[in-house]
Amino acid sequence: MTLSAATTAALGAGSSTRDIKLTAPTATLTAGTAIRDILVSGVTSASVTSGSAGRDLKVSGAAASLGGGDAGGDLLVTATTGAATVTGHATAGNDVEITATTGAVAAGGASLTATGVGASDDAHVLARSSGSSVDVGSAVTQGTGAAAGDVTISAATTASLGSANSTRDFSFSAQTASLGSAQAVRDILVTGGLSASLSNGTAGRDIKVSGPTASLGSASAGGDGLGSATTGDSSVTGHVTAGDDVEITATSGSVAASGGSLTSTGVGATDDAHVLASSASGSVNVGSATTQGTGVATGDVTLDSPVSAT
C-alpha cells in the first residue's frame, strides 16, 4: 500500500499484507498494520499515531512523532530540524532509535524497549539529540547472547531519564546529565559537561559518574564505583558499594559525603580493593568508609585533603 502526495498524505487506518508507505511534505498515519514495513516520510512533518510492523517501522521528517508502535525489526523515529517525539511505547525486536539533529527528543512519557527477539546482533536503544535536549521515560534492552544491547542516551544540552535497564552497557551523556535509576549487566557511565548525577544504579561491572560536579545517591557495582568532579563538589548521599575500588574524588571542589557510606567488599577483586575519598584543594567529609577484602583483595581506606578530612 503506497500513498504519495505533493502536499498532504493522510491515512486513517491501513492494513497491508506487505508494506505501508506514506510520502508527502506532511504525512500522517493514524493506525497501520503491515506484515513487512511501515515507512512514513514527510519533508515538513511525519507522524504515526499507532503502528505495528512485522519488520521495520520508520517515521522520518523535519519533525517526526510516534504515539505507540511495535516492530519485529527496527523502530526508528528520525527528525532533522524539529523534534523527535514519542508519547507511548516504542517496542522492537531489534533496534529502537529516537534521534533529532537540531531539535529535541521528547519522550518523557514513553517507554523504549528492544526485546532482542529475532535479532542477529546487538538489539539496542538509542535516544540522541545533536543540538538540543533528550527526555525519556524508560529505556530497556532485553536481548541476551549476541542480541544483548546497550542503552545510550546522548544530548547536546540536558538529558533526563526516569529509569533504564540494559543487558549490556548503559551510557548517559549531556551538558547536564540527570539520571534517575539504572541497571546494567556490564557498565553504567554518566558523563556531564556541566554536571552529572545518578540517583540509584546497579551494575555488574563499573559505575562511573563524572563531570565538573558529580553526584551519587546509591550505587552497587561488581567492579569499581567512581564519582569524580573537576571544578565543583563530588557528593554521595547514600550507599556506594563495589566489589573492587570505591573512589570519590574532586579536583577544585570538596568531597561531600557526610551522609554517605563507602564500602569495598573485595568480592571478585584481583588486587587491593580500596576506598579513596580525595580532594586536591577542598575538604573531605565522609559518613563511613569500609574495606572488607581479604588476601590479595585487602585494601586501604584513604581520606586525603589539604584543608580538612572528617
Side-chain angles (χ1 to χ4, degrees):
M1 181 185 298
T2 301
L3 276 73
S4 179
T7 56
T8 302
L11 177 61
S15 179
S16 173
T17 54
R18 200 159 71 169
D19 302 324
I20 294 177
K21 299 179 181 179
L22 269 71
T23 304
T26 301
T28 304
L29 172 63
T30 302
T33 302
I35 296 297
R36 298 198 312 190
D37 301 330
I38 295 177
L39 308 174
V40 179
S41 176
V43 174
T44 303
S45 66
S47 67
V48 174
T49 304
S50 177
S52 178
R55 294 194 312 196
D56 299 339
L57 194 164
K58 299 180 180 180
V59 187
S60 61
S65 66
L66 172 68
D70 299 277
D74 296 334
L75 191 155
L76 312 179
V77 179
T78 307
T80 52
T81 58
T85 304
V86 180
T87 56
H89 73 279
T91 303
N94 199 18
D95 302 332
V96 176
E97 297 187 356
I98 315 299
T99 60
T101 304
T102 58
V105 170
S111 60
L112 314 180
T113 306
T115 67
V117 175
S120 58
D121 57 6
D122 68 299
H124 63 257
V125 170
L126 169 67
R128 180 181 63 213
S129 171
S130 301
S132 187
S133 61
V134 172
D135 185 14
V136 175
S138 67
V140 177
T141 57
Q142 299 173 335
T144 57
D150 300 333
V151 172
T152 302
I153 308 294
S154 175
T157 56
T158 63
S160 61
L161 173 66
S163 63
N165 196 327
S166 172
T167 53
R168 201 161 68 172
D169 296 327
F170 176 77
S171 175
F172 190 81
S173 61
Q175 286 294 99
T176 302
S178 175
L179 176 59
S181 66
Q183 297 182 55
V185 171
R186 298 198 313 193
D187 300 330
I188 295 176
L189 307 174
V190 182
T191 307
L194 296 173
S195 65
S197 66
L198 171 63
S199 297
N200 195 330
T202 303
R205 296 195 312 197
D206 299 338
I207 294 178
K208 300 179 181 180
V209 180
S210 60
T213 65
S215 174
L216 267 169
S218 295
S220 176
D224 297 333
L226 311 177
S228 62
T230 52
T231 58
D233 292 345
S234 185
S235 62
V236 175
T237 58
H239 305 284
V240 175
T241 302
D244 201 349
D245 302 331
V246 176
E247 297 186 356
I248 311 300
T249 60
T251 304
S252 300
S254 298
V255 171
S258 60
S261 63
L262 313 180
T263 304
S264 169
T265 67
V267 175
T270 57
D271 57 7
D272 69 300
H274 62 258
V275 170
L276 169 67
S278 173
S279 171
S281 59
S283 61
V284 171
N285 194 339
V286 176
S288 68
T290 306
T291 58
Q292 300 172 336
T294 58
V296 295
T298 300
D300 300 331
V301 171
T302 303
L303 274 65
D304 183 24
S305 165
V307 180
S308 64
T310 305

